[in-house]
Amino acid sequence: MEFPVYLDHNATTPMDPRVLEVMLPYFTSKFGNAASRNHAFGWIAEEGVDYAREQVAALIGCSDKEIIFTSGATEADNLGIKGVYEMYQEKGNHIITLNTEHKAVLDTCKHLEKLGARVTYLPVGEDGLVDLAELEAAMTPQTILVTVMYGNNETGVIQPVKEIADIAHKHGALMMSDATQAVGKIPVNVDTDGIDLMAFTAHKMYGPKGVGALYVRRKYPRVKITSQMDGGGHERGMRSGTLNVPGIAGFGKACELCRLEMQEEAGRLKALRDKLEHAFTAIADCKVNGHTERRLPHVSNVSFRHVEGEGLMMSMKDLAVSSGSACTSASLEPSYVLKGMGLTDDLAHSSIRFGLGRFTTEEEIDFAIASTQKAVAQLRSLSPQWEMFKDGTDHTLTTI
Ligand SMILES: *Cc1c(COP(=O)(O)O)cnc(C)c1O
């Protein structure tokens, strides 16, 4: 076992060596610009991009013509939401999303609000799921876009994407999904799920950082977006800029590996995740956050009451995990995702996210269990609140 043990795969994943192998020639001998039409250097690079585009499309069940390569999911979220808002302005200015979305979606919506958009941020229930009746009630004739994430990055909770898409379509709106955490981990198919636009990224699925994609439906309906980057007209005019050929080739390989291996991998990781949770729930007063069934197989978000999450992480130096969201953990604000699910500040602060991955071993999970149990016991033994809880005199206890 190597230390620290990495259990933060929702923040990023290590690259699969098979992906690196595919990428290497595109840095050296196959260095051409995929847009160079006049010589073999360009053609070879373009061939690599075309092949990768097919590998990416095959994973999500779309045509290669519907894939727009970007620098990652943040850019894809921006391009999809801003691109639809600008393109469909004549139809309306209303966007619906969830208050537990990733910042790449929430901050893009906030930006559009300053430009005249009306945005509804739907709440979620204690289980992290959207209420479909509330969504239906929020739809208006001006609603142009419903953007709801597939699997949540903090809890792994999977939204009812198909039902959400049906409601959006019934009211003439488009359905977009940030599927960054779901693609490559569970089956995602844009046709059966009814998705019109979808953002995802290579580095969360054992590919390289700095490359991702926006899926844009071309038929039933034909979705149009305005570009957010002007220039050479790459990616069918929707995203200018010289293509990141090594990154794209790696992204393609990463997608192919996920398509072939995800079913087995999901089963293995779910068993390890369940072992972890089973051990934790044996610790008194500990709670798994989010719907326990409708959840990505490799994620567990757990609150250890009377223990401060940051402190817990500090006392588990050999374990790389995350408290709250990796993107906001620079601030000590409690996670807005957990608070959005009705957790108190205390409970949100006491939460840890365990994210398992392709190279996680059972030995590592056993180590994680032992070090967490030890650290929780140690911190609780120092906590006056825990003493009061055991004596039955803690009145801050609220069940949620
Ligand atoms: C990681 C993540 C992003 C950002 O992806 P980048 O490729 O790093 O820009 C967006 N949405 C979700 C749900 C994520 O987990």
Side-chain angles (χ1 to χ4, degrees), residues 10-11 71-75 77 101-105 149 151-153 178-181 200-204 210-212 327:
N10 299 85
S71 63
T74 300
E75 190 194 332
D77 281 328
E101 292 285 314
H102 192 272
K103 286 285 180 192
V105 168
M149 70 200 318
N152 185 272
N153 44 299
D178 176 341
T180 305
Q181 295 286 345
F200 52 115
T201 195
H203 78 96
K204 303 266 174 92
V211 58
C327 305

Side-chain angles (χ1 to χ4, degrees), residues 42-364:
W43 304 332
I44 289 169
E46 192 186 17
E47 234 173 63
V49 169
D50 288 348
Y51 189 68
R53 206 185 291 280
E54 281 169 20
Q55 289 172 310
V56 174
L59 178 62
I60 61 166
C62 71
S63 141
D64 57 341
K65 293 191 182 68
E66 298 175 305
I67 297 293
I68 309 296
F69 286 120
T70 65
S71 63
T74 300
E75 190 194 332
D77 281 328
N78 272 266
L79 177 57
I81 297 169
K82 290 174 181 169
V84 164
Y85 178 71
E86 287 178 3
M87 187 58 86
Y88 293 86
Q89 240 167 6
E90 272 176 28
K91 181 177 181 291
N93 69 340
H94 183 221
I95 297 172
I96 300 178
T97 189
L98 301 187
N99 62 10
T100 52
E101 292 285 314
H102 192 272
K103 286 285 180 192
V105 168
L106 291 176
D107 287 354
T108 301
C109 288
K110 291 215 181 81
H111 177 88
L112 290 182
E113 278 184 292
K114 287 188 204 135
L115 304 180
R118 198 168 76 74
V119 182
T120 301
Y121 302 90
L122 290 175
V124 297
E126 282 173 16
D127 54 8
L129 291 170
V130 66
D131 180 338
L132 293 172
E134 256 178 278
L135 169 64
E136 178 102 51
M139 300 292 307
T140 75
Q142 283 74 47
T143 310
I144 50 174
L145 182 69
V146 175
T147 180
V148 172
M149 70 200 318
Y150 211 112
N152 185 272
N153 44 299
E154 290 193 39
T155 59
V157 168
I158 299 171
Q159 297 295 340
V161 172
K162 170 75 179 127
E163 287 80 356
I164 293 167
D166 286 346
I167 292 171
H169 294 154
K170 193 171 107 193
H171 294 269
L174 295 171
M175 160 68 182
M176 172 162 165
S177 187
D178 176 341
T180 305
Q181 295 286 345
V183 170
K185 315 289 168 52
I186 57 170
V188 171
N189 182 295
V190 290
D191 279 342
T192 51
D193 290 333
I195 294 169
D196 300 309
L197 300 107
M198 186 169 83
F200 52 115
T201 195
H203 78 96
K204 303 266 174 92
M205 44 190 280
Y206 312 97
K209 291 168 183 61
V211 58
L214 179 68
Y215 157 77
V216 183
R217 180 172 288 281
R218 260 168 51 101
K219 265 195 235 161
Y220 319 117
R222 182 181 182 85
V223 176
K224 289 199 202 157
I225 55 170
T226 59
S227 65
Q228 300 299 310
M229 194 111 74
D230 299 306
H234 307 74
E235 297 299 90
R236 311 156 58 75
M238 286 188 249
R239 201 276 189 177
S240 287
T242 299
L243 291 181
N244 169 4
V245 181
I248 289 169
F251 188 16
K253 184 66 183 180
C255 286
E256 182 184 278
L257 293 173
C258 285
R259 183 169 57 80
L260 298 174
E261 297 175 5
M262 83 175 138
Q263 195 184 355
E264 197 191 324
E265 191 165 288
R268 189 182 77 86
L269 294 183
K270 184 177 182 302
L272 290 179
R273 191 269 312 268
D274 290 350
K275 180 175 188 184
L276 189 78
E277 276 185 357
H278 193 72
F280 289 164
T281 41
I283 305 179
D285 220 10
C286 140
K287 176 183 182 303
V288 174
N289 295 313
H291 198 286
T292 46
E293 294 302 315
R294 293 198 55 95
R295 203 160 46 129
L296 296 171
H298 61 291
V299 194
S300 180
N301 189 305
V302 187
S303 289
F304 301 91
R305 206 193 288 272
H306 310 300
V307 172
E308 213 270 313
E310 292 291 316
L312 186 55
M313 278 198 329
M314 292 301 180
S315 49
M316 303 191 298
K317 285 258 187 285
D318 280 333
L319 216 51
V321 290
S322 165
S323 77
S325 153
C327 305
T328 51
S329 62
S331 70
L332 280 179
E333 285 293 299
S335 146
Y336 68 88
V337 170
L338 297 178
K339 288 203 69 178
M341 292 162 55
L343 268 75
T344 59
D345 277 18
D346 263 8
L347 215 49
H349 269 307
S350 71
S351 82
I352 297 277
R353 178 184 69 187
F354 299 84
L356 287 60
R358 183 171 290 168
F359 307 105
T360 302
T361 64
E362 180 152 21
E363 194 187 12
E364 289 178 327

